[in-house]
Structure formats: C-alpha cells, structure tokens
Amino acid sequence: MSEYILEMKQITKEFTGVKALSNVNFKVKKGEIHFLVGENGAGKSTLMKILSGVYPYGSYEGDIVFNGKVQQFNKISDSVDTGIVIIYQELALFPDLPVYENIFIGNEVNHSGVLDFNKTIVESKKLLNKVNLKINPETLIKDLGVGKQQLVEIAKALSKDVKLLILDEPTAALNEDDSENLLQLLRELKKQGITCIMISHKLKEVTSIADKATVIRDGEAICTLDASKGEINEAAIIKNMVGREIDDIYPKRERKSFGDKIIELTNWTAYDPQLGRNVSKDIDLHVRKGEIVGIAGLMGSGRTELALSIFGNSKSYKIQGDLFVDGRPVNFKHTSQAIKAGIAYVTEDRKGDGLFLLQDIKNNITASNLMGISSNGMINENEEIKVADHYKNSLGIKASSLQQLVGNLSGGNQQKVSLGKWLFVGPKLLILDEPTRGIDVGAKFEIYSVMNELIEQGMSIMMISSELGEVLGMSDRIYVMAEGKIKGELSSEEADQEKIMQLATQ
Amino acid sequence: MKLLNEAKHLIKDNIRDYGMYIALIVIMVTFSILTDGLFMSARNISNLLDSAGYIAVLAVGVMLVIVIRHIDLSIGFLAGFLGAIAAILLMQVGLPVYIVIPIILILGLFAGSITGFLVAKIGIPAFVATLAGWLIYRGAILLATEKTGTIIVNNDAFNAIGNGYIPALMVINGAHLLTLIVGAMAIIFYIYSTISNRRNKVKYNFEVVSKEIFILQLFFVSAIIGYISWILASYNGLSWTVIIMLFVVMVYHFITTKTVVGRHIYAVGSNPEAAHLSGINVSKITFLVFGSMGMLSALSGILFTSRLQSATTTAGTLFELDAIAAAFVGGVSAAGGVGKVTGAVIGALVMATLTNGMNLMGVGIAPQYIIRGGVLALAVIFDVFTRKQRA
C-alpha cells in the first residue's frame, strides 16, 4: 500500500468557462498535518469541496485516490462513510440543541428508530474527553463560545470514525488561547493516527505545526513545502502565494495632489451585539478628496463591517469613536442620512443585498435617489428614463433595453448597474466593497476606468478588496486590516504584495 | 398571419399579466352558457360587482402586505368590528354619516398602525401579530354587539353606499345617462393615456407592439368598458360600491406605479437588505402598508355593513382568507416584490364570479368551496410555472 492516504490526481474543475482548478496534484501522507495556503479565490476551498463530495463525481476531471482506492463521491455522505470529514468555518451546529444531540445528529444512537438518550450522553462524554472539552454534554450549543463549539465539531467528526479531518480556517474566529488549544488538540489527534488537512491564512500556525504545506495559486498547485527539510517559513510561503506580477490590467491615472479630508475616523470601534464582539477596533483612517484608498486584508478581517458601520448601520452595530465628514462630526442613524451626507456604499454581495433582481435596470438605477427624479412624491418617468439611459451609455451596460430585469444580466453588467445606482446619488465618497468579484477581466478593466474617471471629477474612493493586484494597481494609499484592526498603512510606493500579506497574516 | 403571430407571441410573453383576464373571461363565458345567458343579465352583473366590493378593497390592501413579505389575518374581523362601530355611532350615538365615515376610516388607520408597530418596531412575525389581532377583533365584535345582537341600520344615506346607485340625471330609452357618460369618459381616458404612454415609449426606443395590435388592443378594451357600462346603464346604473371600488383601484394603482412611496414598497418587498442599504426606511414602509391595510379594512367594514343594512355578530368571518386568496389569484408572489393592484381586483372578481355563477346554477355550498380551492391552487401553480419559464 502506498504511503499516501490521499492522492488527488490531475484535478481540473471549471465553473461556466472559468477554470477554478487546473491539473492540481495533491498528496497527503498518513498521519501528517498538511496545510493548504493561498490567496482568497486561489481554489483551496474548491479543492476541498471536490474531496468531500460537495461537487459530485463527474463534475470535475481527475481522480481521488483515498486509502488506495479510486473514490467516486456523489454526495457528502459518501465521503463521510469512507472517513473524510470536513469542518467549515461556518459551523454546522444547531444552537438550540444540546451538545450530545449535535454530536450525533444524522448518526443517532437508536434502537429501531427510538433514541437512546442515556447511551448518547455517555458516548458524547467519551468523545468530549478526547477533544479535552470538560463540559456537560447537555449544555446548549448557543451557550458555548466559538472555540468550544469548534471542539464540539471535532468531537462530532470523531464520532464518525474519521480518518481524514479537513478544517477550513478553523481559527479565523478564535482568540489566541482558543487557537492554541485547537492546535494542541490537532497534535494529539495526529498521535492517534488521524490525518489532518487544514486551510489557514495565519502563517504562524503553518510554521508552528505543519508537516507539509501546499501552496495553491490561481487554481494551480505551485509547490509542496516540507517541514522536515526546513522549507516551511513565512517568507517562502508568501513568495509562492503571490508569485505573479501585476499585469497592466490597471489603467493608468495621473496622480495629482489630494484635497482636504473627505472623511475621517478616530478611535472608531464597532460592537456587533449579535456576534458579541467588536468587529472594528480603534480604527483611525481618512480619505482625502481625489484619492483612492485601498483597504486590504483577508476575508473576515472586518473590512465590510467597517464600511457598514460608517454607512449608518447603527441598528446592527454599537459605535464608539468619531466620524467626520468634511471636517464636521456626524452621527448617522440610518443609511439614508449617510447617503444624504454624500457617502455611497456598493456592496460586495450585489445579488444578496445590492440589487433588486426582479426589477428592471431603470428601477435599480434610480432606487437610491428617487427624489432626484420626482416632484411632490410623483415619479417623472421621462426623467427616470433619461437618467437610466445616461448611466447605461456612460458605464457601458450591455442590455437589450432599460426594461431588462437585472437578474438576467451578467455579473459585470450587474456591477455596473450597482455603480450607476450609486453614481446617480452624486456621492463625495464611494465605498466599493470587492468591486470586481466574480467579474471577467474585460469588465474589470472597464470598472477600473470608471473609477479613474470619477477620481478625475473629484470624487474619493475607498476600495475594499481581497485581490492584492487590484489593491496595488489602483490605490494611492493602502490600509491593511486583520482581526478588525488596522495593522498598517502603506503608501503606493512602498507597498508590495509581501508587505501586505505580512500585515494581513499577523 | 403576421398579426396572428405577433398576438401569439404577445400573449406568450405576457402570459402572467394576461392570464387572469383570460381566466375571468373564460369563466364568465362558461357561466353565461351554462345559465342560458342569465349570468350576463344586467341585474346579475350589477349584483356581482356589488358583492365583490368589500373583498376587492381588502384584496388591494393585503396584496401590498404580501408584496412586502408579510401577511395580515386580522383584517376580516377588523372590518366586521369597525362596521359594528359604524352602526353603533349611527344608530345609538346618532352621529351623521359624514362624520361617522371619517371616524371609522381613522380608527382603521390607527388599528393598522398598531399592527405595523408590532411588526416593524417590535419585530413580531406578522402572522403571529395579526393572529392575535384576529382573536382580539373577533372578541371586540361580540362585545360591541353583545347587548343588542344584530344592529339594524336604517340610515338611508349610509345604506346607499352598499345598495344605492348614482343619480341618472336623465333616462333615455331606459338607459341610465350618467352611467353612459362615465363609461364614455373612461374609454376616452383609457385611449388617451395608452396613446400618450405609447408615444413616450417610442420616443425612448422602448419595445412597443405593432400598430395593428395596438389598435386591436384599444378597441378590445374600449369595447369591454363600453359593454359593461351599457349593461349597467340598462339596469340601475353604476352603484356607489362600484364607484368606491374604482376610486380605490385608481388611487392605489397610481400610488404603486407612479410615486416614490410605491417604488419603495416594491423595493422593500423584492430585497429588504438592499432596500435598507439604498437608504429606504424599511420600517416606515412596513408601517405605512399596515396602516393602509387598516384603513381599507375600515372601508370594507363600511361597505359590508351598508350592504347588509345591519351589523351582525359574525360580520367579517373569513374575509381575510377570501382577500388573501383573491390577491394570490391576482398574481401576487409569496416571495415578495411582485403584485399589482389591478391583479388583486381581478382576483377578487374571479372569486366573486365563481361564487355568483355557482349560486345561479344551484351548486351546493360544499362543491363551491372545493371548486374555489381548486381555482386558487391552479392560479398559484400557473404562477409558479410561468415564472420558471421566464427564468
């Protein structure tokens, strides 16, 4: 039998014409802790979804060899049956059920359909001991902290006789102590012969416990570093992660001197009562007139939350600190006040909370500023058509007519509709959250060009982006965020991919 | 041939919009045949429209509630309760009609605002909040009519709302002149507004139907308006109920299609998060829609009490379900964001037509329920299928 417990051979996966993975070879030895590292969107999660059967056999090319056999997983339960369990960042627990029920959910201890609670509880205790969690199995999940919930997930995996455990960013939401606990547990599981694949953005974790680390970049496996050969260190990982040069996909713009501060935050802290923690902490930042400020950082670093807290979302967050617009202190109670003050926020999730998919282009473009085309509360439809037509032409929205439903447009054109909607508000500051996510290269270039035009006209832009190339290519100044804090500020001259990654993975 | 093809395409592309009109016409023609023309008699059509009034008004309101992804179960008994209050104010307190009606409408607005407050500000699911309202208003009716039982209303002005007709001015060959004039004006208004609408669309290069189809459309709709006016004119003319119903439809149609508030309602319905991030005050819209629902419930209560010329202890029973059914038959989407005022009214007419036609044929009450249930299910199935087709 081969020394590898898992071999993924020549895996290729396409999503409607876009290659997410191409010819990836990935081998894991029995009993090792193997890290997958790479930028957001590099293809790590896609690879793991193929392994766990989320993308069924036949939807990808290549072979999965597990335990010496070629596997054909059609659904998630197929992979679980062979001993592969994946734990996602978003935990799949039921908050209102006790720990023991969560551990055995879908795998209940029963006698011809009747649950055996006593045995369930006894078995749960044994499993909880294995993961060093000293709690009463009857505790409700919602009464546990995230760190302990994570351990319950692992106990759940152990109940299924797991051979290969996959953890997708398990420590992203954990504090230092909980993270250290988890890593310690993984070392112990390793001794018991359980193989572990872990996706993580925290390079310190990689250097401290990884046996191997495979770097994925742009859908390809770049290299596998081996700790026993002393190959795993931060510099080596980052170099392989970013590896590519910035192509000239970023249109040039004349960088002039900037004007006064349009917006300034001091000691800005936003507390999210639902999560029970601060999503932004002690943030000081400013954006000047005519400037593009990039906000870099990894997913979950609190960038979107920062933008939303600025944008008058006082319902969702408790805010401390000061916000100045044009030098005057402001306090937005509702998004409409932020809009009135000249701030526009283009969401990262245009389908989820940006656009009205069942309405046409015209209605979407005017949705944020209906007052601008109406008198006495009555909409002037001619004016509306003129406005919509103007943005359709100036942004190059490709559609059969203004009456086309936005839900039927391509991603790039949807993003342009989003932009048009906010440009019609006439903002001073445009907050763009992942402006080019899920958009093809051509449309990206057009959006960058629009951004440059807006800067020419004296607007300011705050651009949140996970794409390092984009941040470096477009920004005049860059803030790097991690764990809700600003970890550093870089001018466009001093910034490069390594520096940003270093700050973002601190 | 080309014309026929275009007409085919037009119907196919707009089947969702045209579907219920076609269904209504099919149902009407079927009943006319089955009852040897009795169904289309002037008297019956007049009666049918009057009996649809109080549900149609509720259907318009509840359609908007469903558009913003909520529901209101309390409207039936709220209507019944406010109808009883109207009767008490008229008969026992002795207030004149012109004071009672505004009081009742304001009370309705107030009741609706309470629901709106519970849903929008406190965050109670609308189903639960309005179920509580259902119980409370049901108790309230019983309480209001406890001592007297059924309250007979013998105020002629009030009863005219549900039973009276607009004055004829003059009768020519047995035809009600004012009704004919109103009908003619409606046709002129219709032709004028569709032509100017089309001009606008042509100006901005929007897709329009060919001239032949357009003229055919104008002719067809005008003929229907003309025919119905003629039928009504040959009986007692337009009733006040129909006038009120038309007024409500016109006002709500205008608000939903031409105003900022209307646009905001549909925005909140189609994506509440996006609406919030677009600077729309979602809870204000929720308030407003429930408030309007309460006011329309009050109007429905007035129409019903006036029609019966009395307030009964069971007034309003099942109105809410009839109205919700009418809204769904009229094409409102349970997923929110989609629904039309005209649709809700046509839905109410479809349901009233079914009841009326089956009554004429002497169909028992049991099969009637089953058939109406079947039509509701069919309407929603049709809706789901046509939506998939378009997606």
Side-chain angles (χ1 to χ4, degrees), chain B residues 186-388:
Chain B
I187 291 174
I188 291 168
F189 178 73
Y190 170 76
I191 291 178
Y192 171 77
S193 65
T194 37
I195 288 181
S196 77
N197 193 356
R198 181 185 162 90
R199 267 209 199 116
N200 243 327
K201 284 192 170 174
V202 171
K203 200 165 118 198
Y204 290 105
N205 291 325
F206 276 22
E207 219 175 288
V208 288
V209 296
S210 70
K211 205 160 220 166
E212 292 83 7
I213 289 274
F214 180 69
I215 289 169
L216 216 64
Q217 230 172 12
L218 274 186
F219 180 76
F220 191 64
V221 175
S222 305
I224 288 181
I225 299 176
Y227 181 58
I228 290 178
S229 317
W230 178 253
I231 289 183
L232 293 177
S234 66
Y235 184 57
N236 283 334
L238 275 171
S239 66
W240 285 112
T241 303
V242 171
I243 294 282
I244 291 171
M245 197 158 78
L246 288 177
F247 178 72
V248 169
V249 170
M250 267 160 36
V251 169
Y252 274 79
H253 181 71
F254 177 77
I255 291 175
T256 51
T257 55
K258 304 278 180 200
T259 67
V260 173
V261 170
R263 202 54 86 64
H264 283 182
I265 291 173
Y266 285 94
V268 168
S270 52
N271 190 342
E273 286 82 29
H276 174 65
L277 288 180
S278 302
I280 296 169
N281 194 329
V282 176
S283 61
K284 199 168 101 190
I285 293 294
T286 310
F287 236 97
L288 207 69
V289 169
F290 275 105
S292 106
M293 181 74 254
M295 197 181 67
L296 290 176
S297 305
L299 183 59
S300 169
I302 291 169
L303 287 171
F304 187 67
T305 307
S306 156
R307 186 166 164 77
L308 293 191
Q309 310 190 3
S310 61
T312 65
T313 52
T314 55
T317 312
L318 289 185
F319 283 14
E320 67 280 354
L321 297 188
D322 281 342
I324 292 168
F328 277 111
V329 170
V332 71
S333 154
V338 177
K340 282 185 176 168
V341 171
T342 44
V345 171
I346 297 293
L349 283 179
V350 166
M351 294 312 257
T353 304
L354 283 174
T355 310
N356 176 290
M358 288 189 288
N359 280 340
L360 280 185
M361 288 170 60
V363 177
I365 192 75
Q368 281 201 20
Y369 272 117
I370 293 170
I371 288 170
R372 278 161 64 198
V375 168
L376 173 60
L378 273 180
V380 180
I381 291 169
F382 173 79
D383 188 68
V384 170
F385 268 98
T386 50
R387 189 169 319 178
K388 272 192 196 144

Side-chain angles (χ1 to χ4, degrees), chain A residues 104-117:
Chain A
F104 284 99
I105 201 103
N107 190 18
E108 289 83 359
V109 184
N110 67 79
H111 306 294
S112 24
V114 180
L115 295 173
D116 184 341
F117 280 103

Side-chain angles (χ1 to χ4, degrees), chain B residues 24-49 227 231 349-350 352-361:
Chain B
L24 182 60
I25 290 171
V26 167
I27 292 171
M28 286 184 146
V29 170
T30 311
F31 278 132
S32 301
I33 295 167
L34 289 175
T35 59
D36 293 330
L38 188 61
F39 177 82
M40 275 317 245
S41 69
R43 189 195 159 100
N44 190 53
I45 290 295
S46 175
N47 190 24
L48 165 66
L49 289 176
Y227 181 58
I231 289 183
L349 283 179
V350 166
T353 304
L354 283 174
T355 310
N356 176 290
M358 288 189 288
N359 280 340
L360 280 185
M361 288 170 60

Side-chain angles (χ1 to χ4, degrees), chain A residues 87-341:
Chain A
I87 298 175
Y88 293 101
Q89 195 180 350
E90 307 287 328
L91 299 178
L93 294 172
F94 301 87
D96 292 308
L97 291 183
V99 168
Y100 68 88
E101 284 198 51
N102 268 286
I103 290 178
F104 284 99
I105 201 103
N107 190 18
E108 289 83 359
V109 184
N110 67 79
H111 306 294
S112 24
V114 180
L115 295 173
D116 184 341
F117 280 103
N118 292 332
K119 198 172 169 212
T120 309
I121 292 175
V122 170
E123 290 294 321
S124 309
K125 265 192 188 144
K126 280 187 204 160
L127 290 166
L128 290 174
N129 275 334
K130 274 193 189 171
V131 297
N132 299 330
L133 190 55
K134 309 266 179 299
I135 52 163
N136 184 343
E138 288 170 68
T139 321
L140 299 184
I141 289 293
K142 64 179 173 192
D143 297 330
L144 296 176
V146 195
K148 287 183 176 165
Q149 290 184 7
Q150 191 77 258
L151 295 178
V152 172
E153 273 277 15
I154 294 175
K156 185 171 146 190
L158 294 179
S159 81
K160 290 170 185 162
D161 192 21
V162 61
K163 295 192 183 68
L164 175 63
L165 185 64
I166 305 165
L167 297 156
D168 190 353
E169 292 202 54
T171 58
L174 301 188
N175 61 29
E176 295 273 313
D177 287 348
D178 285 341
S179 302
E180 192 41 52
N181 261 337
L182 185 77
L183 298 184
Q184 190 53 39
L185 175 65
L186 293 179
R187 289 192 189 101
E188 278 168 37
L189 291 177
K190 179 181 161 186
K191 279 180 205 150
Q192 295 167 26
I194 293 174
T195 313
C196 185
I197 298 174
M198 199 158 148
I199 297 177
S200 178
H201 285 303
K202 294 191 182 165
L203 299 188
K204 276 190 190 130
E205 286 171 7
V206 184
T207 49
S208 78
I209 73 162
D211 297 312
K212 298 263 176 60
T214 296
V215 181
I216 308 268
R217 189 209 308 155
D218 297 337
E220 289 176 43
I222 298 301
C223 62
T224 296
L225 305 170
D226 192 337
S228 63
K229 292 180 194 156
E231 291 170 344
I232 298 188
N233 57 58
E234 290 192 24
I237 297 172
I238 290 178
K239 184 170 153 280
N240 284 300
M241 261 167 85
V242 292
R244 81 185 109 89
E245 299 299 316
I246 302 175
D247 324 293
D248 33 30
I249 58 168
Y250 305 102
K252 292 277 174 292
R253 147 177 108 249
E254 212 179 303
R255 298 195 181 179
K256 291 181 287 192
S257 58
F258 307 117
D260 295 334
K261 288 177 185 171
I262 288 283
I263 187 176
E264 182 168 21
L265 294 178
T266 53
N267 285 321
W268 187 260
T269 298
Y271 175 81
D272 185 338
Q274 276 182 338
L275 293 177
R277 63 184 163 91
N278 287 332
V279 287
S280 302
K281 270 171 281 187
D282 303 323
I283 289 190
D284 292 288
L285 65 74
H286 66 268
V287 181
R288 287 169 295 185
K289 192 170 157 62
E291 190 179 29
I292 297 184
V293 171
I295 310 279
L298 297 164
M299 264 179 231
S301 57
R303 297 165 304 168
T304 297
E305 289 80 358
L306 173 64
L308 285 174
S309 72
I310 296 172
F311 192 59
N313 244 310
S314 58
K315 252 186 216 156
S316 326
Y317 303 114
K318 267 188 218 155
I319 307 273
Q320 283 177 325
D322 296 308
L323 167 61
F324 300 91
V325 175
D326 285 333
R328 276 187 298 273
V330 288
N331 177 19
F332 302 136
K333 293 224 157 49
H334 191 267
T335 49
S336 57
Q337 295 174 341
I339 294 169
K340 217 172 258 167

